[in-house]
Amino acid sequence: MTKPETKKSASATLEDLEARNAELDARLREAEETIHAIQKGAVDAFVLEEANSHRVYTLEGADRPYRIFVEEMQQGVATLHADGTIVYCNRRLPELLNMPPEKLMGSRLLDFVVAEDRPIYDGLLRRTQAGSGRGEARLQRAGGGLIPAYLTFSELPPDCGAMIGVLVTDLTSQKHHEQLALAQQALREADRRKNEFLAMLAHELRNPLAPIRNSISILRQRGGEPVQETCEMLERQVSLMVRLVDDLVDVSRITRNKIELRKERVELAAVVEQALECIRPVCASLGHEVTIHLPEEPVVLEGDPIRLTQVFANLLDNSCKYMERGGRITLSAELAPPRGDTAGEVAVRVRDQGIGIAPDQLSRIFDMFAQVDTSLERAKSGLGIGLTLVKSLVELHGGAVEAHSEGPGRGCEFVVRLPVPGAPVARRLAPAAAAPETRSYRILVADDNRDSAQSLALLLKLMGHETHTAMDGVEAVEAAQTLHPDIVLLDIGMPRLNGYDACRRIREQPWSRSMTLIAQTGWGQEEDRRRTEEAGFDGHLIKPVDPDVLLKLVATLSTSTEN
C-alpha cells in the first residue's frame, strides 16, 4: 500500500507545479503586456494592492504637461474601457463623486448614475460609437447627494485600444442660477400682476365712489342742518376712500419707478397750507389742534408741489389717526444754511401726542404694509402704505425722512429733510378759489355705470344746467350729433365704443368745434392722460369727481373755447 500512495502524492505535486507554472506564465505575459503598453503610452496610471489597500500610480512621459493640465481641470475627466470600467480619472472626478480615487479605479461610471437617468447614459455610450455623445444626467455621490452633470463621451484613437474618454461637468452652480433666474422671473411676473391688480382695483373702487359723492352733493343742496351734518360725515369718508385708492395707485407707480416729478420752485409755506387743507376736516371731527411754526423768511424748495403736499398731508393724517381726541400736533421747520458747495437744507418736524412707536419697530415703520403692533393701533390702522409713500417721495426729491419716539404712549416725531436751492423767488400755491360764475350749459354725460351717469346728471341739473345721459360710446356719439351739447363728459371704458374712439368720432365732425370734451375715468396715470389728450379731449378728471372741481374746469374750458 505504501508504493501506490507514494505515486499518487508525486502525481499531485506535479499537477500543482504545472498550475503554478501556468499562473507564472500568465503573470509574466500580463507584465510584458503592461510594460509594452506603458512603453507605447497607452497606460495613464496603474493601481497596486498593498496590505488590503490600493495605491494609484500616475505615469509620466513626454505628454506630462498635458497630464498636468488634465489633473488641474475643474471638470472631472476619466478614461473608460469599452465596458464602461474606469481605468483612469483626474483628481476632480473623485472629488465630485466623494470617493477615494483608488476605489474609483475599476468601478463602472454607470454605477454612479441615478437609476432614472441610466437610459440616458446608455444612449450616450451608443452614440459615442459614431463619434461622440453629449447630454445631461444626474450622478449619485458616495454618502448621499446628487450632482446634475453634463457628460461628454468621445471615442479615443484606435492605438489607445477600445477606450472612451469622458468629460464630467458639474452643473450644480448653473442649475442654481437657472432656478434663481426662474424665481426672479416668477417674482417679476407676480409683481407685474400685482401692479395690474392694484390699477384695476383702483379703477373699480372709483366707479362706485362717483355716484356716492354725486349723491352727497345732491343731498347738500336739498337738505337742512341734520342732512348737512350727515353729508359732511359722508364726504369725509368718501375723501378717505379716495386717498386710500390714490395711495394704492402710487405704491404701484413707485415700485415700477413710474412716478415722474414735475418740479418747480415752490414755497414751503404754500405746500404746508395745502396739506392742512387736506386734513382739516379730519382734525375738526376729532377735535385736534394743529400748530404751525415756520421761518419768517420764505423757504424755497425745488420740487413737485402736489407730491410735497402729499408728503406732509400723509404725515399729518398719520398723527391725526393715531392720537386720542383733542390731541395736539405741531409742525415746525428749521433752516440749515449752505456750507461750502453744499446746498442748504430745511428740516420739517411733525410731532404729536399719539400712541408712539416701540423702539424695535422704528426701523421698519417705513416698510410697505408695516403695522405698529399694539391693540390701539390695530383698531385704527390703515393699509400701512402712507409712510412708505412719504419715504419714497422724499427720497425722489433728494431728501430723507426719519422717525423718533420715546416709546408707546409717548407720541412720535417725523423729520423730513429737504434740500433748499436758496432762490429768493418762488411761486406761491394759491388757495382754492371760489367757482367762477357760469352760465347754463347743455351737458351730455356718457357712462355705462347708470348710477354714476344719472347722479352726476341730476347734480348738474340742480346747479342749473340742461343735462342728458348716454350709456355707451355709440349712444354718446349719436346724442352729441343730435343735441350739440356745450360740454360732453365721456367715460373711457364703455361698451360698443370706448371713450377714446367716441371722442375721435365726435372731433371728426364740424359741429364739434365749439364743444368741450372731458374724460371722466377711473384711470389716472400719466399714460392715461396722454392718451386722452391724443384722442382730442380738453380735460381729464379722475373718478370720483369733486363737483366743485368739475364746475371750475367746465367754466375754465368753456371760457377759453368762447375766446
Side-chain angles (χ1 to χ4, degrees):
M1 296 298 294
T2 303
K3 289 183 179 179
E5 288 179 359
T6 302
K7 289 182 179 179
K8 209 181 263 191
S9 175
S11 174
T13 302
L14 181 60
E15 290 177 358
D16 184 50
L17 289 173
E18 289 176 348
R20 289 183 179 182
N21 285 335
E23 182 181 351
L24 289 173
D25 287 340
R27 289 186 178 183
L28 180 59
R29 284 194 301 272
E30 183 180 356
E32 289 175 345
E33 290 174 358
T34 300
I35 292 171
H36 182 62
I38 291 173
Q39 290 172 341
K40 290 175 60 179
V43 176
D44 298 310
F46 59 89
V47 181
L48 291 182
E49 294 185 7
E50 298 178 349
N52 298 323
S53 65
H54 298 75
R55 180 172 296 181
V56 179
Y57 292 88
T58 302
L59 301 180
E60 296 184 1
D63 58 352
R64 184 171 182 270
Y66 164 76
R67 296 176 185 275
I68 294 175
F69 170 74
V70 171
E71 286 296 320
E72 296 299 324
M73 288 179 64
Q74 292 301 307
Q75 291 91 351
V77 178
T79 302
L80 309 182
H81 196 270
D83 63 359
T85 302
I86 300 173
V87 296
Y88 163 77
C89 65
N90 69 349
R91 66 181 183 181
R92 177 59 177 153
L93 186 60
E95 292 175 358
L96 287 176
L97 298 177
N98 192 29
M99 192 171 187
E102 63 270 15
K103 290 188 177 181
L104 194 59
M105 295 289 201
S107 302
R108 294 188 311 161
L109 185 58
L110 176 64
D111 296 335
F112 296 93
V113 179
V114 298
E116 296 86 348
D117 292 353
R118 289 185 180 182
I120 299 175
Y121 179 88
D122 292 336
L124 293 176
L125 277 181
R126 287 194 298 270
R127 287 200 291 275
T128 303
Q129 297 175 358
S132 65
R134 302 164 184 252
E136 291 186 24
R138 291 168 297 167
L139 303 181
Q140 179 73 54
R141 303 183 80 226
L146 296 180
I147 303 172
Y150 189 80
L151 305 179
T152 304
F153 291 88
S154 299
E155 189 176 21
L156 299 180
D159 60 356
C160 294
M163 295 291 183
I164 298 171
V166 60
L167 184 66
V168 181
T169 304
D170 185 2
L171 299 179
T172 302
S173 178
Q174 179 179 329
K175 293 296 183 182
H176 174 73
H177 287 302
E178 288 176 358
Q179 291 173 356
L180 183 61
L182 289 174
Q184 290 174 337
Q185 182 179 353
L187 285 174
R188 285 193 294 268
E189 178 64 17
D191 187 62
R192 183 187 65 80
R193 292 184 179 181
K194 179 260 297 178
N195 289 327
E196 289 179 352
F197 168 76
L198 289 177
M200 181 61 68
L201 176 64
H203 177 265
E204 293 301 321
L205 287 175
R206 282 177 175 139
N207 278 328
L209 287 174
I212 294 173
R213 173 166 273 178
N214 295 337
S215 300
I216 294 171
S217 299
I218 292 170
L219 289 173
R220 272 184 169 168
Q221 293 200 23
R222 291 303 200 189
E225 184 174 344
V227 175
Q228 292 295 331
E229 293 178 358
T230 302
C231 288
E232 289 176 3
M233 180 269 294
L234 291 172
E235 182 63 36
R236 284 196 299 272
Q237 299 306 312
V238 169
S239 297
L240 175 60
M241 282 293 295
V242 171
R243 288 189 60 189
L244 290 175
V245 170
D246 289 341
D247 282 353
L248 281 173
V249 175
D250 281 341
V251 164
S252 173
R253 291 173 181 168
I254 285 174
T255 56
R256 292 179 296 153
N257 295 320
K258 292 292 186 180
I259 283 190
E260 295 181 5
L261 298 182
R262 299 180 178 181
K263 288 187 176 182
E264 59 183 80
R265 294 191 181 275
V266 60
E267 194 172 325
L268 174 63
V271 171
V272 171
E273 180 58 34
Q274 291 290 315
L276 285 172
E277 285 296 322
C278 294
I279 60 99
R280 188 164 280 129
V282 177
C283 281
S285 65
L286 296 173
H288 294 329
E289 177 186 349
V290 182
T291 304
I292 307 295
H293 299 290
L294 298 179
E296 294 183 1
E297 66 273 22
V299 178
V300 178
L301 303 173
E302 182 78 24
D304 186 324
I306 294 177
R307 293 303 184 181
L308 289 175
T309 297
Q310 188 177 2
V311 166
F312 297 114
N314 275 7
L315 290 177
L316 290 169
D317 181 67
N318 190 74
S319 294
C320 285
K321 286 191 299 184
Y322 304 138
M323 190 164 56
E324 293 294 334
R325 294 184 63 87
R328 183 172 182 177
I329 304 169
T330 302
L331 186 150
S332 61
E334 298 173 349
L335 268 174
R339 290 175 295 178
D341 296 332
T342 305
E345 180 184 81
V346 63
V348 183
R349 303 175 184 273
V350 178
R351 185 177 303 164
D352 62 51
Q353 301 171 329
I355 63 173
I357 306 171
D360 61 337
Q361 299 202 21
L362 278 172
S363 60
R364 58 181 293 271
I365 195 67
F366 294 103
D367 293 347
M368 185 82 73
F369 308 123
Q371 301 284 355
V372 178
D373 191 18
T374 69
S375 58
L376 179 61
E377 167 66 14
R378 287 293 183 189
K380 298 182 179 180
S381 61
L383 297 177
I385 59 180
L387 293 179
T388 303
L389 285 173
V390 167
K391 183 176 185 293
S392 299
L393 291 174
V394 169
E395 289 177 350
L396 283 174
H397 282 84
V401 61
E402 55 197 49
H404 304 280
S405 178
E406 296 181 4
R410 306 188 67 177
C412 61
E413 179 184 68
F414 290 91
V415 183
V416 175
R417 303 183 188 278
L418 293 167
V420 177
V425 180
R427 180 180 71 84
R428 292 179 175 268
L429 291 177
E437 188 175 340
T438 62
R439 65 179 178 83
S440 177
Y441 296 108
R442 182 183 292 116
I443 302 176
L444 172 63
V445 181
D447 196 325
D448 62 319
N449 186 320
R450 187 175 298 274
D451 290 339
S452 181
Q454 291 181 346
S455 61
L456 181 57
L458 177 57
L459 174 60
L460 294 171
K461 185 176 181 180
L462 291 174
M463 293 178 173
H465 302 286
E466 177 187 338
T467 59
H468 303 270
T469 60
M471 297 297 114
D472 61 55
V474 173
E475 190 177 333
V477 174
E478 294 173 350
Q481 184 174 6
T482 302
L483 299 170
H484 289 190
D486 303 304
I487 310 292
V488 181
L489 297 171
L490 285 173
D491 184 30
I492 297 299
M494 293 186 293
R496 295 212 291 168
L497 190 68
N498 63 54
Y500 297 122
D501 292 334
C503 179
R504 291 188 184 97
R505 289 194 186 181
I506 292 173
R507 285 298 186 207
E508 290 172 355
Q509 306 303 321
W511 42 260
S512 69
R513 292 174 183 170
S514 61
M515 289 183 187
T516 299
L517 275 69
I518 300 174
Q520 184 188 219
T521 173
W523 304 103
Q525 300 190 38
E526 292 299 323
E527 175 65 15
D528 303 314
R529 294 179 183 276
R530 184 187 62 77
R531 291 186 64 187
T532 55
E533 184 177 354
E534 290 178 352
F537 284 99
D538 299 297
H540 185 115
L541 294 176
I542 301 174
K543 294 180 179 178
V545 176
D546 186 325
D548 292 335
V549 173
L550 171 60
L551 293 178
K552 290 171 190 174
L553 180 61
V554 167
T556 302
L557 292 177
S558 299
T559 301
S560 62
T561 301
E562 291 170 359
N563 294 337

